[in-house]
Amino acid sequence: RRCCCRCLYFAFFSYILLVTCPCSLLWGIMGVMCLLVVGIVVCVGILAEKSLGEEEISSQLCEERNGKIDAQDENICWCTIGNGTCQGESCLHAHDGSSAFRLSSCQNCQCSMSNAEQYRSHSLVRENLKNVVYMKLHKVGSTTVSIVLERIAGRNNKKLCARGDQLNASVPCEFWTTHDCEFVFIDKGVEGFEDYVGKDPVTITLLRDPIERVISRYFYNLVMDSSSANHTMSKERMQQLVDRFPYWIDRYPEELEHYLRIFSRGSKSVDDAITNLHTFDLVGITERMNEFMVLVASALRVSVADVVYKNEKVVMNRPKFSDFPEAVRLKLLESTKEDRLIYSAAEKLMDSEVENTDMFDTNMKIFAKLEEVIDQRCQFERTKSDVLTGWDCYNL
């Protein structure tokens, strides 16, 4: 710039000499040449500045679309995430699987991850994952939760506790998600879990509205097998079962005080049951399953993507409480009053946990978006192991 200014001064002085003194022709020619040099320098500078600006704009646009500018051509944007996945009308795909697009000709092109890659990117192996005991109660959504926990165990190489007669042979284990926990709890409380999974595990349990749980238990026992598939009944079959329901609850009265029997540890005291309920690290209710799953992720310090789920063992179109005769409804209300008090205590514990969990609202929004990709029609058929279930249940 300083050189250009000197040339301009010299050119102006030479032009004055040429006008006032014809003998100074040489000076005039030199001045004209200097003007030409200044013009060339200015033009080159403008072009260079424009090129640099365009390059910076191109690089910024490319980065905003999750790409990286080509080293040789700033108009080409290579995808750097999602295994080189370009989405748009004019994407350029290479033989090695990578892809790119021209910024000038593909306004809607974007580098992005598929749903599968998004899920896997949010679902990573966690270091220092604590051992877990999930006390699995009957017909509270327990299979749904246990599958989620087993999936977390599989991804983190945690040993599962076996069920039934195989339990003792599997000890010591690290993730316990079977109904066998119930018997240990009644005998020894949460401290008894340490005999199986070691010191200080994360203890979790889930309760469901007692009346809904009893109705669900009845229809599940009579309709479904041991698989996790969901079932639908005909209206005729449904009405037959509704008519037989009073006889079933007379035959199995223990189902009407399920929570009282377990959480009181045999004392049949509601106060004892509520006190023992407080000994768990996390207590949730089925009617707020999404919130419960986010709390599970927080308690285990895993991503919310690790706890997305598919509803399991559901009997479709079964009758509601209001569909039963009044006499049956009154009997259910009276017979489950202790369990309903314990359930209310569980709901209060969950409310407190939600209030005291960091970033709960934010994680709920993330969880809702991930849950939208679940295909509830899938049957968990394409799995890599007996533990790692659910990969086929995402609409990937």
Side-chain angles (χ1 to χ4, degrees):
R1 185 178 298 175
R2 185 178 301 174
C3 179
C4 287
C5 289
R6 288 177 180 174
C7 281
L8 284 172
Y9 289 140
F10 179 72
F12 178 75
F13 178 72
S14 300
Y15 176 74
I16 296 297
L17 284 177
L18 180 63
V19 173
T20 58
C21 183
C23 62
S24 57
L25 180 61
L26 180 60
W27 284 97
I29 294 173
M30 292 177 64
V32 172
M33 292 179 64
C34 204
L35 282 173
L36 290 173
V37 171
V38 169
I40 293 172
V41 170
V42 170
C43 289
V44 170
I46 292 173
L47 291 173
E49 184 176 355
K50 182 179 180 181
S51 177
L52 180 60
E54 288 179 348
E55 183 177 347
E56 291 176 352
I57 293 174
S58 297
S59 178
Q60 182 180 355
L61 288 173
C62 184
E63 290 178 2
E64 288 176 355
R65 300 185 191 184
N66 302 313
K68 184 178 181 181
I69 286 292
D70 186 87
Q72 305 297 326
D73 187 347
E74 67 272 10
N75 190 35
I76 294 180
C77 179
W78 286 96
C79 292
T80 56
I81 68 170
N83 292 334
T85 305
C86 172
Q87 297 184 359
E89 297 176 355
S90 305
C91 291
L92 309 172
H93 297 280
H95 292 294
D96 61 359
S98 60
S99 61
F101 59 89
R102 292 188 180 277
L103 289 166
S104 60
S105 61
C106 192
Q107 300 299 321
N108 67 336
C109 289
Q110 179 81 21
C111 299
S112 61
M113 292 184 287
S114 66
N115 287 334
E117 288 156 351
Q118 289 180 23
Y119 178 80
R120 292 180 178 94
S121 70
H122 286 287
S123 182
L124 306 176
V125 174
R126 308 293 165 179
E127 294 182 2
N128 303 318
L129 179 65
K130 296 185 70 174
N131 292 351
V132 174
V133 175
Y134 168 55
M135 192 168 82
K136 183 178 182 180
L137 305 180
H138 289 284
K139 297 315 299 170
V140 299
S142 54
T143 299
T144 297
V145 177
S146 62
I147 284 178
V148 167
L149 293 173
E150 289 166 10
R151 190 173 65 226
I152 294 173
R155 290 188 60 80
N156 291 272
N157 298 316
K158 289 287 189 177
K159 182 182 178 182
L160 288 174
C161 302
R163 68 181 70 242
D165 295 339
Q166 304 299 317
L167 173 61
N168 290 333
S170 69
V171 175
C173 45
E174 297 167 304
F175 265 55
W176 197 3
T177 63
T178 71
H179 291 295
D180 301 301
C181 302
E182 172 187 321
F183 306 109
V184 174
F185 176 78
I186 292 174
D187 185 32
K188 297 182 178 180
V190 293
E191 292 80 7
F193 297 149
E194 296 184 349
D195 296 337
Y196 297 81
V197 298
K199 294 290 183 179
D200 196 28
V202 177
T203 54
I204 303 171
T205 194
L206 181 70
L207 285 74
R208 182 180 187 177
D209 177 273
I211 292 177
E212 287 299 313
R213 194 205 70 80
V214 171
I215 296 173
S216 177
R217 177 72 163 167
Y218 169 67
F219 283 100
Y220 170 76
N221 282 2
L222 296 182
V223 175
M224 298 182 66
D225 54 25
S226 60
S227 73
S228 62
N230 299 330
H231 290 247
T232 303
M233 284 190 292
S234 66
K235 291 183 179 180
E236 293 78 10
R237 173 63 171 158
M238 190 72 71
Q239 187 57 50
Q240 292 175 358
L241 295 178
V242 168
D243 295 339
R244 291 172 53 187
F245 182 64
Y247 303 100
W248 183 84
I249 57 178
D250 286 340
R251 183 177 180 182
Y252 299 100
E254 66 274 10
E255 291 294 341
L256 301 173
E257 51 184 28
H258 187 62
Y259 302 148
L260 181 65
R261 176 179 59 84
I262 295 172
F263 288 104
S264 72
R265 298 178 55 199
S267 73
K268 296 295 186 72
S269 164
V270 173
D271 290 338
D272 287 348
I274 293 175
T275 297
N276 292 330
L277 193 65
H278 279 74
T279 63
F280 284 83
D281 295 314
L282 177 60
V283 177
I285 61 173
T286 307
E287 288 70 19
R288 294 160 60 184
M289 181 66 87
N290 285 6
E291 293 177 77
F292 176 68
M293 288 301 190
V294 171
L295 292 176
V296 168
S298 178
L300 302 186
R301 300 184 181 278
V302 299
S303 165
V304 291
D306 288 319
V307 295
V308 287
Y309 66 94
K310 171 184 179 287
N311 293 321
E312 291 299 315
K313 295 185 178 180
V314 177
V315 179
M316 308 294 185
N317 304 320
R318 71 163 176 78
K320 300 177 181 178
F321 175 65
S322 58
D323 296 326
F324 288 89
E326 182 179 4
V328 175
R329 296 200 305 270
L330 291 174
K331 183 171 184 177
L332 280 175
L333 286 170
E334 176 64 24
S335 302
T336 60
K337 60 183 180 181
E338 289 88 359
D339 269 19
R340 286 188 285 113
L341 288 172
I342 299 168
Y343 172 82
S344 295
E347 188 171 18
K348 291 177 181 178
L349 282 173
M350 185 174 178
D351 287 338
S352 177
E353 196 68 30
V354 167
E355 184 178 350
N356 294 306
T357 298
D358 293 337
M359 298 182 65
F360 179 80
D361 291 338
T362 299
N363 286 330
M364 277 295 295
K365 292 178 182 178
I366 296 172
F367 180 84
K369 290 181 180 179
L370 291 170
E371 191 70 10
E372 287 176 357
V373 305
I374 299 291
D375 182 359
Q376 293 290 346
R377 297 167 299 175
C378 67
Q379 298 297 325
F380 288 96
E381 294 174 349
R382 299 192 306 277
T383 56
K384 295 182 179 180
S385 70
D386 293 335
V387 173
L388 191 57
T389 56
W391 286 112
D392 61 314
C393 287
Y394 294 86
N395 184 23
L396 302 179

